[in-house]
Structure formats: C-alpha cells, structure tokens
Amino acid sequence: MSTMHLTAANNWDRTMRNLDTLFNYNLTMMMVDPTLAEMGKNLNQAMKIFEDGQRPSEPDGERRRFSRSSIPGPLQRDGQDVASILQLVQNLMHEEEEDTPSHRRMQNVGEQGHMALLGHSLAAFISVLDKDRLRKLTTRIASDTTLWLSRLFRYENGSAYYHEDDREGLLKVCRLVINARYEDYTTEGFTALNSRQPVIYQSATCRPGLGQHLCCQLGLPLSSLCTVPCNTMFGSQHQMDVALLDKLIKEDMETGKLPLLLIANAGTPWAGHTDKLGRLKELCEQYGMWLHVEGVNLATLALGQVSSPVMAASRSDSITLTLGPWLGLPAVPAVTLYRHDDPALTLAAGLTSSQPVEKLRALPLWLSLQYLGHDGIVEKIRHAAELSQQLLEKLKTLASIKTSVEDEVNSPVVVFRFSQETSAASSGGSMEGYFAGEREVIDTLNRWLGERLAQLVPASGVDVVELEEEGTCVRFSPLMTAAVLRTQCCDVDLLVEQLTELVPILSCTLRLRQDFREEVYRHSALSYIQDLSWPGLGAVRYEPRGEELDDGKRQQEVEKINSELLKKLGDLDADLIFSTGPEFGPEKDCIFIGMATEDLDVSELVDMIATLGRDLEESGRLLENMTEVVRKGIQEAELQLQKANEEKLMEEGVLRQIPLVGSVLNWFSPFQSTVKGRTFNLAAGSLDSTEPTYSMKAQTGVVASPETPTFSSKRLPGQRLFRRGGSDSHSETSSVGQAEDLSKEGVHSPSAPTPPCVLQPDEVTSEALERPQVPQGQEVNPLTSQVLAQPEAGQQEDGQMGTEERGMEKIQPEGQQTIEESQEDETGR
C-alpha cells in the first residue's frame, strides 16, 4: 500500500473514530432518534472500510476498466449499499497510485483538521433539526465564532460573513457600499448608477483578476475599476502610491464619478509587502470611501507584537481572513469581518441571511477554534513568523542571493533570487553586459532554482513568483504553507544547505554560456541556438554538409543525425544532462545541454559534439551509398562469372563437359583450372581477386609482425568526460591507479600461451634495459638474450624459414626501441 494511501487511511481512521465516539454518545443519550442511529451505523461502516484500506472484491481488470473510464456507467435500478459506495469512493481516491506514482505531497490533516471534517458531518445532521432548535444552535455557533475571531485579530465590534470563495466577502461588501451610497439602488437597480458612476480603486499588486471579477459580478463596466500604480521614487516598489491615489480620486470627482471603495494589501500576494494603511484610512475618511484590507500579514494581528502598518488594518472598514492555510484546517470557510450598523442593508447585500442553515458554515471553524484554543492559534502563527526570520538570517550569509523583504524584523514572507551583480561582486569582477538577454537568462535560472528547491525540500513550501521590478524570484511564505506541510526549523536548514550547493552551479552556468556560444561558432558544422528560456549551458544543432539535398531531405537528415547524436551523448559517462529541450519549445531537432559545473571543459564538449556528429553523418552517407554500390557490384560480378565460365569451357574442352566421360577423363588426367575467384569489397565498391587471400593462407608458419605498442592518452580513474584536469585535480592515488590500469592492459595472464617471437611490453622493456652490448654483425636471440653467430646463406635448410627468422629478429628491435622510448617518456613525465 502506498504512503499516500496509508496517510489517507489514517486520516479517515482518526476522523471516523471521532465521529464514532460522538454518535455513540448521542445514541446513548437519545436512543429514540432513529435518524441519528442510522447515521451512526453508516459512519461505523465507513470507518471500518477506510481503516482497513481494502479494495473492492471485484477483479482488478473490471475495477481498472471502471476507474479509468471517463464515461460514467448507468445508474443501477436497485441502488447500492453504503459499503459498496464507500469502496467506490476509495477507489476513485487512489485509482492512479499504483501505475502513476504521484510526487504531489498530500496535506497533513492533524487533530484540528479532524475537527473541521467532523464539523461538516455535524452540519449536515444539525440541518434536519426542528426550526427552533436549529435557530438557537446556529445563532450560538455564529455569535461565538465571530466574537472569538474579532478578539483574536484585534477587530472589535465587527460582524462576520463566512464564505467558501475568498473573493465572495469582498463582493458582498461592494454590494453593501453601493446600497449605502445609492439610496435608490434597491428600487431602481443599475439605473441609479447613471447619475454618478462608481469607481473601485485597487493596487497594482492586488491579486490578478480580482477587480475584473468584481465588475463582472456587480454588473459594472471596466471603466469603474481604477488600478493605482505603486511607488516609483520613494518607499517600497510594492506599495500603493498614496499621492498618486489622491490625485486620481480628485480627477474622478471632477468628472462626476463617485469614489466608492479602496482595496488595500496587508501583505501583497507575491512579495508580502503592506500598504501604508494609516494614510490610506485617512484618505478614505476624507473622501467618504470604504477601505477593505486583505493579505497574509493580517495573521500577525494575533501576535503580541504587531508592526504599525499591519496594526492600522484593525481600523479599516472590512478585512478578509483565510484561516484554512494559516492554521492548517481543511475545508473551512474564509471570514470577512466588517463594521456596519444597518441590518437592513447588510441583509440586502447578502452579508446576513434569514436562513439558519447558512449560519452552519461556521460550524467547522467553531469546532477547530475550540480544539486549538487561543494559545494554539497564536503558536502556529508565531512558528510561521519565526521560520521566515530564520531563513532571512541565513540568506544574508550567501553572497549570490539577494532578498526582497519589506521589514527584516517582522516580515512573514521572504522573497529571494539568484543575483548576477552579487555573484560577480563576490568573484571580484563585473558581469555588466556579459551577453545580450542576460535579464531573461537570470530569470530562467531563478525559475529553475525555485523548482529545484521545491523538489529537493518539499516540506519548505517554496514556489516561484514573477515580480515586475525584480523579475523571477523564489518565495517562502510559511504562513500559507507551514501549518499544512508541517514545516520545521530543520526544513529551513535543509533548504539553505541545498541552496548553497545550487548557487555555484548557477554561477558557473551563467559564466560558461558565453564560452559555449563562442566554441560553437568555431565549428562550421554546428549551429548555436539562442533560447533564453532554457536553464542550462545552451542549445546546439548539427548541420550536415550536403548542399545538394533539397529542403525536405535535408530536414529529415538533420532530424535523424541530431536524434542519434543525442543518444550518443546520453550514453557518455558525463555529469552533463543532454535533452531535446522544452516539450512545447519553438526549437526542434536540437541538443540542449543542462547546468554546468566549475571544472567543465567547454572546448572538449563542443569538439566531442562535432566529432560524433561528423561520424554519424559519414556513416549515414555510407549506408545511403551502399545500395548503389552493391547493385553495381552485383552486375559486374555476374559479367565476371559469365566470362569465367566461358574461359573454363574453353580450357577444359567439350569432352570434360559430358557427365560420364568427363568423370573418367578427370580421373585419369586431372585438370588444373586457371580461373581465379573474385571477392566483392563493400568498402571500396570493387571486385578483387581471391588469389592474395589463398596465397596468404597457403603460407603456413608465418607469424605476423606485432604492431608497435602505443600508449594513448587516458583519463585518470574517476575522472569523467568534459572535466578539466589541473595540478590539484588528481592525487597520487589516482596516478597509482592509472599505472595499475596501464600495466593490467599490457600484461597477459601467466597461463595464456604467448607466441615465441612476440614479447609483452613490460618484458621487452626489462630486457632492453638488461641486454648486453652486441658486436656489430651479430644478432641476439630474443628469447634467451644470447648472442648468435651471423648465419651464412648455405647453412639454412629452408630459405623461406630463414627469411622468416631474420624478419622476426629485425622486427623485434624496432618494437623494443619504441617501447624504450615510451618508457623514457613516462619516466621523464
């Protein structure tokens, strides 16, 4: 059973145990309620199914066919029991776990999460109570939850609206303000807005699509939405420009428009910066506008020490709290706290409801808040804030990392990025104007950095954000992720450790990109592919040299060669990663090289790519020409065979062609044919005679002269391809290992027979050092090292064998001399 399956089973186990305990208690106290008894029975059955984690009893093939079908099956006429339905739900939850492993981290549901899940089940049961009991219970739940939240987040005398969509509360607030500012809106509708067009102001750093959603739901034109730019000269570049907002409001009022509402941020969605809420509140009071505040920094209102910009949010007209991610509560509603005294207008705007069932939305939150308590809620928020400070302090020690935080003391969101300037400054140089498009390349590298950190440390919850000024950055927002992922201090330490290892790779890759491009330009067969969105060394394409090919064939050949070249490079023992690049990238038939390290030899890498590509091109051309060569060779062979048969007939005569007579004649007088065989050389594409082949086989006892042993340059053991070697790159152990490898290659096993005239390199070297001086005109036996007398011509029994012996005796000193020279070179080095 997979880990995710076990986690889900354990979560269901705990939840169902809580439900079982609750309903067993209710059954004991109220045995007369049949509905509650039936619910308790079904919940007990569900608990057993999810606790055991069993699959349905049908065959795997049938289950798989059902689970993977996108077309729902027919509804059964007789229905199904609860156990079958729950088993079906479990299959749908884990249908792809066995075949497709998922890397997504499942949310950890703690005990407080079980209380939230319990609240949903209780809400469904409580909704069937009689009206009087339902009204009393829902009123108590809603009033308690509102009071707790108002005191916890310093928002006194506030009312609460609970909603599933976190934008729904702001939408209801907009309706409330419209009803309050346009007296005839309730009776005349949108025609009441014609007198003065309402205007909603929002910061340029608000959530994308928030203003458009409001205009769409309210039926307002997009001209009613005004986006206020951020500071450009003074203050944070993520804060709303208050002076410019004042100017925009005055201009709208002069044109007959009505400033309606201002949306401010207490923690922008991407960078976590807080607007100047104190000045914005004064501006809204001056022009009679409604101030709504939202953002993750509102969670810090529950702490003992709160920064003054965030504290000003408690004086706003409404705020939206997202307690689910802050406290790690699944499926709890968001809360919008607001201040307004007219119940009729709040009812018309939808902030309150006359239906008691609507108030049951607060039940999961009511149970969870009681389970956590005041201290538990504050501790979760404080823990998230401490994680941010821990990471911020450690990032200050990294020279190549630039942080972007509003307040280094109380910032719950940390945004950082790999910086080109800081990397160059740390290395003592400047990289200004290093290459064209450097901003895009650095953004690409930061995107790779964020994705890589999220994979290596999933418990950290880091993600990638795009900021207008800074570009691509990595964001750490524990208030939104720590409670869900259970992030601890050790996870932050691991995050910094991984970041320390990845930063040098980013610096080397950025520096070597230019070298790689210049090396590619030196090879006429290679084309450099400019792709600024690729987080790596670069991309290259091998271009074949056949200019006579048309565009279609040339494109096929380019695709074929680069595909085979990519396979060849992937099989090499190298640390680099070669791929086809982004799946939906614009460049095709290319080879993309991944991230680089400090000791990468770019010239060797490019030379290897060009060499392999040239070999593949030549082998492909040879195969293409093979068909034509073979066809011509076969035709020529047929003509040669026909000519040979005619010559044989002329030499043997007519009588030897008669079956019986020819056999008798050949027995009495054998005939030696002079017709020679033919062999077809595929490499040369020509027909050759077989006479040299048979003449070589006929010479028995001839020993081929051994090739002169050579020592090609070898890499040290453990050294991979495309790595530069230096004086400190290899230790004495590596040198010893290299000598051992070379000696193993040059020495045969003692049991293996060795030709008498072929000595091994080590043996020849040792004999060359110990060989005595030989007088001129004398020779030495290569096996015994004894001086032999010069043989005379008449003393040899077989001239051919004598020639062979002298040939071998003359060959051996040459090989000996070569090995001696190699030995001297090795000694010198």
Side-chain angles (χ1 to χ4, degrees):
M1 188 181 298
S2 64
T3 305
M4 185 178 294
H5 189 188
L6 290 174
T7 304
N10 293 334
N11 292 336
W12 270 103
D13 178 22
R14 296 173 185 173
T15 303
M16 294 306 172
R17 287 184 185 276
N18 293 335
L19 292 173
D20 185 34
T21 303
L22 175 66
F23 283 107
N24 284 339
Y25 172 78
N26 287 331
L27 286 173
T28 304
M29 301 300 297
M30 299 183 299
M31 295 297 297
V32 296
D33 193 338
T35 304
L36 188 60
E38 184 67 21
M39 179 179 294
K41 178 181 177 181
N42 293 336
L43 289 174
N44 287 331
Q45 190 174 8
M47 181 187 66
K48 294 179 180 179
I49 292 176
F50 285 98
E51 181 179 1
D52 297 339
Q54 297 177 351
R55 300 287 186 182
S57 57
E58 62 264 16
D60 292 341
E62 295 182 4
R63 178 179 62 83
R64 291 177 180 272
R65 286 195 299 269
F66 173 79
S67 62
R68 295 189 176 186
S69 175
S70 59
I71 303 177
L75 183 64
Q76 297 186 8
R77 292 181 177 273
D78 299 335
Q80 302 184 47
D81 56 3
V82 176
S84 300
I85 297 174
L86 292 177
Q87 287 174 342
L88 176 59
V89 172
Q90 187 176 9
N91 282 338
L92 295 176
M93 291 169 58
H94 308 286
E95 61 180 354
E96 295 183 354
E97 283 186 12
E98 297 179 356
D99 300 330
T100 307
S102 176
H103 300 284
R104 291 173 294 180
R105 188 181 182 92
M106 187 174 183
Q107 178 174 342
N108 293 311
V109 181
E111 291 294 335
Q112 72 275 9
H114 301 152
M115 297 302 296
L117 299 178
L118 176 62
H120 289 279
S121 300
L122 284 177
F125 172 73
I126 294 175
S127 63
V128 301
L129 297 177
D130 59 86
K131 293 183 178 180
D132 293 336
R133 296 175 60 186
L134 178 61
R135 184 179 298 104
K136 292 180 181 179
L137 184 58
T138 54
T139 302
R140 172 66 183 274
I141 293 173
S143 60
D144 287 351
T145 308
T146 302
L147 179 63
W148 296 338
L149 292 177
S150 298
R151 292 180 177 178
L152 183 64
F153 293 98
R154 306 172 187 266
Y155 199 85
E156 300 296 336
N157 301 323
S159 302
Y161 173 67
Y162 305 93
H163 45 94
E164 301 297 332
D165 189 350
D166 55 2
R167 302 172 299 182
E168 186 69 19
L170 177 57
L171 178 62
K172 300 294 185 182
V173 166
C174 290
R175 295 185 185 277
L176 172 63
V177 179
I178 291 176
N179 280 276
R181 298 298 298 273
Y182 294 90
E183 297 179 358
D184 299 333
Y185 182 78
T186 305
T187 57
E188 298 182 6
F190 68 93
T191 57
L193 307 179
N194 295 332
S195 58
R196 298 183 65 185
Q197 180 181 354
V199 181
I200 299 175
Y201 300 89
Q202 67 170 2
S203 173
T205 57
C206 280
R207 287 181 292 170
L210 177 61
Q212 290 79 0
H213 175 76
L214 295 177
C215 292
C216 179
Q217 296 297 320
L218 296 173
L220 299 177
L222 292 180
S223 58
S224 296
L225 178 64
C226 179
T227 300
V228 183
C230 297
N231 295 324
T232 56
M233 298 296 295
F234 305 100
S236 172
Q237 296 180 349
H238 300 278
Q239 291 179 345
M240 186 186 303
D241 191 338
V242 181
L244 183 58
L245 172 63
D246 189 8
K247 179 181 178 181
L248 292 174
I249 294 176
K250 291 180 180 179
E251 292 178 354
D252 289 337
M253 294 181 66
E254 291 175 358
T255 57
K257 296 181 180 181
L258 177 64
L260 192 67
L261 180 140
L262 172 63
I263 306 173
N265 291 312
T268 54
W270 308 133
H273 290 211
T274 302
D275 292 326
K276 299 176 182 179
L277 300 179
R279 294 186 57 189
L280 293 178
K281 178 59 179 176
E282 296 175 359
L283 200 63
C284 290
E285 291 177 350
Q286 177 182 351
Y287 294 104
M289 298 171 57
W290 184 284
L291 177 61
H292 177 81
V293 181
E294 60 180 18
V296 65
N297 292 353
L298 292 175
T300 59
L301 288 171
L303 301 178
Q305 295 181 354
V306 186
S307 61
S308 56
V310 179
M311 181 63 73
S314 60
R315 299 191 295 112
S316 61
D317 297 298
S318 60
I319 60 175
T320 297
L321 308 175
T322 54
L323 299 172
W326 296 352
L327 305 178
L329 303 176
V332 296
V335 184
T336 295
L337 300 177
Y338 64 95
R339 295 188 181 98
H340 201 271
D341 299 333
D342 192 342
L345 293 181
T346 57
L347 180 62
L351 289 170
T352 58
S353 176
S354 59
Q355 299 295 328
V357 180
E358 295 291 333
K359 299 180 181 180
L360 286 176
R361 293 179 181 176
L363 181 58
L365 196 56
W366 183 74
L367 294 175
S368 301
L369 293 178
Q370 291 188 88
Y371 182 85
L372 289 173
H374 180 275
D375 294 341
I377 297 172
V378 173
E379 178 59 28
K380 283 184 174 293
I381 299 176
R382 179 182 292 110
H383 174 66
E386 291 176 352
L387 291 177
S388 297
Q389 294 303 313
Q390 178 187 356
L391 178 62
L392 184 59
E393 292 297 327
K394 292 182 178 294
L395 290 180
K396 292 179 181 179
T397 61
L398 300 180
S400 299
I401 296 299
K402 181 180 179 181
T403 59
S404 176
V405 294
E406 178 186 17
D407 185 0
E408 294 187 356
V409 180
N410 298 313
S411 179
V413 180
V414 179
V415 177
F416 61 92
R417 69 194 303 264
F418 168 74
S419 175
Q420 179 189 19
E421 293 79 7
T422 54
S423 177
S426 63
S427 60
S430 176
M431 299 181 67
E432 186 68 25
Y434 188 69
F435 56 85
E438 57 185 1
R439 170 66 183 270
E440 292 80 359
V441 173
I442 294 179
D443 287 344
T444 301
L445 295 179
N446 278 283
R447 188 177 299 108
W448 176 86
L449 176 63
E451 295 173 354
R452 187 63 178 162
L453 290 175
Q455 294 176 358
L456 296 175
V457 193
S460 64
V462 295
D463 58 352
V464 179
V465 295
E466 301 288 343
L467 302 182
E468 183 177 356
E469 296 296 333
E470 291 83 354
T472 304
C473 300
V474 183
R475 180 182 60 177
F476 178 67
S477 181
L479 276 174
M480 298 298 293
T481 60
V484 175
L485 301 178
R486 297 183 181 179
T487 308
Q488 303 297 327
C489 295
C490 59
D491 298 319
V492 176
D493 294 337
L494 181 58
L495 179 66
V496 176
E497 179 182 349
Q498 296 293 338
L499 182 61
T500 306
E501 296 177 359
L502 295 177
V503 165
I505 298 178
L506 295 173
S507 300
C508 296
T509 302
L510 183 62
R511 187 178 64 255
L512 294 177
R513 283 178 70 102
Q514 179 72 5
D515 298 340
F516 176 76
R517 182 174 64 175
E518 293 177 355
E519 288 293 336
V520 171
Y521 284 156
R522 292 192 180 99
H523 294 265
S524 59
L526 299 179
S527 297
Y528 179 78
I529 306 302
Q530 182 78 4
D531 191 349
L532 302 179
S533 63
W534 172 249
L537 196 61
V540 64
R541 178 189 294 120
Y542 184 85
E543 301 287 352
R545 293 168 292 178
E547 299 179 356
E548 68 279 359
L549 300 176
D550 56 13
D551 294 340
K553 293 183 179 181
R554 183 177 182 82
Q555 180 63 28
Q556 294 178 359
E557 186 174 2
V558 170
E559 180 180 357
K560 179 181 178 181
I561 292 179
N562 284 275
S563 177
E564 295 178 357
L565 180 58
L566 178 60
K567 295 179 181 179
K568 291 284 186 180
L569 293 173
D571 295 338
L572 297 178
D573 185 17
D575 295 329
L576 291 174
I577 297 178
F578 303 93
S579 66
T580 56
E583 182 178 0
F584 301 102
E587 299 292 342
K588 302 297 182 183
D589 304 329
C590 302
I591 300 174
F592 287 80
I593 297 93
M595 307 298 288
T597 54
E598 179 68 28
D599 56 348
L600 176 64
D601 193 338
V602 178
S603 60
E604 181 183 354
L605 169 64
V606 177
D607 291 343
M608 176 65 73
I609 295 176
T611 302
L612 292 177
R614 183 168 56 254
D615 294 342
L616 291 173
E617 181 183 4
E618 292 176 355
S619 61
R621 296 288 175 84
L622 179 61
L623 292 177
E624 292 177 0
N625 298 332
M626 189 65 68
T627 303
E628 184 66 19
V629 172
V630 171
R631 185 181 64 82
K632 294 181 179 180
I634 291 176
Q635 294 178 355
E636 185 178 355
E638 291 178 350
L639 295 177
Q640 294 287 346
L641 290 175
Q642 183 179 0
K643 182 178 180 181
N645 290 333
E646 294 176 356
E647 293 178 355
K648 180 180 179 181
L649 180 61
M650 296 298 296
E651 292 178 357
E652 295 180 354
V654 180
L655 292 178
R656 293 184 182 272
Q657 308 304 320
I658 301 175
L660 184 58
V661 176
S663 299
V664 175
L665 185 58
N666 289 333
W667 184 72
F668 281 103
S669 177
F671 177 78
Q672 297 293 334
S673 176
T674 60
V675 178
K676 307 299 180 182
R678 296 290 186 270
T679 177
F680 182 55
N681 190 344
L682 290 177
S686 61
L687 284 173
D688 300 331
S689 175
T690 58
E691 184 177 357
T693 304
Y694 289 107
S695 63
M696 291 176 60
K697 290 182 178 295
Q699 297 175 2
T700 58
V702 178
V703 181
S705 61
E707 297 181 358
T708 303
T710 57
F711 292 89
S712 60
S713 61
K714 287 182 172 291
R715 293 183 174 274
L716 298 181
Q719 182 182 0
R720 294 199 168 189
L721 291 175
F722 318 130
R723 291 289 175 260
R724 292 194 301 267
S727 58
D728 299 333
S729 299
H730 310 288
S731 61
E732 295 180 359
T733 306
S734 301
S735 302
V736 174
Q738 181 189 19
E740 292 178 355
D741 294 340
L742 296 177
S743 62
K744 290 179 180 179
E745 294 177 2
V747 180
H748 292 282
S749 174
S751 59
T754 305
C757 295
V758 181
L759 299 182
Q760 299 302 318
D762 293 344
E763 298 172 355
V764 174
T765 303
S766 61
E767 289 198 18
L769 297 175
E770 300 176 0
R771 182 180 296 274
Q773 296 294 331
V774 181
Q776 186 175 3
Q778 302 296 329
E779 294 183 355
V780 180
N781 189 333
L783 296 179
T784 62
S785 299
Q786 295 178 356
V787 180
L788 301 178
Q790 179 67 29
E792 298 180 359
Q795 294 178 353
Q796 296 181 2
E797 296 179 358
D798 190 345
Q800 183 177 359
M801 293 301 296
T803 305
E804 293 175 7
E805 292 177 1
R806 286 194 299 271
M808 289 185 292
E809 291 168 357
K810 293 179 180 179
I811 291 173
Q812 190 62 36
E814 288 183 5
Q816 176 181 340
Q817 181 181 2
T818 305
I819 298 177
E820 289 176 355
E821 294 175 357
S822 300
Q823 183 70 20
E824 292 176 0
D825 294 340
E826 291 292 327
T827 305
R829 286 194 296 269

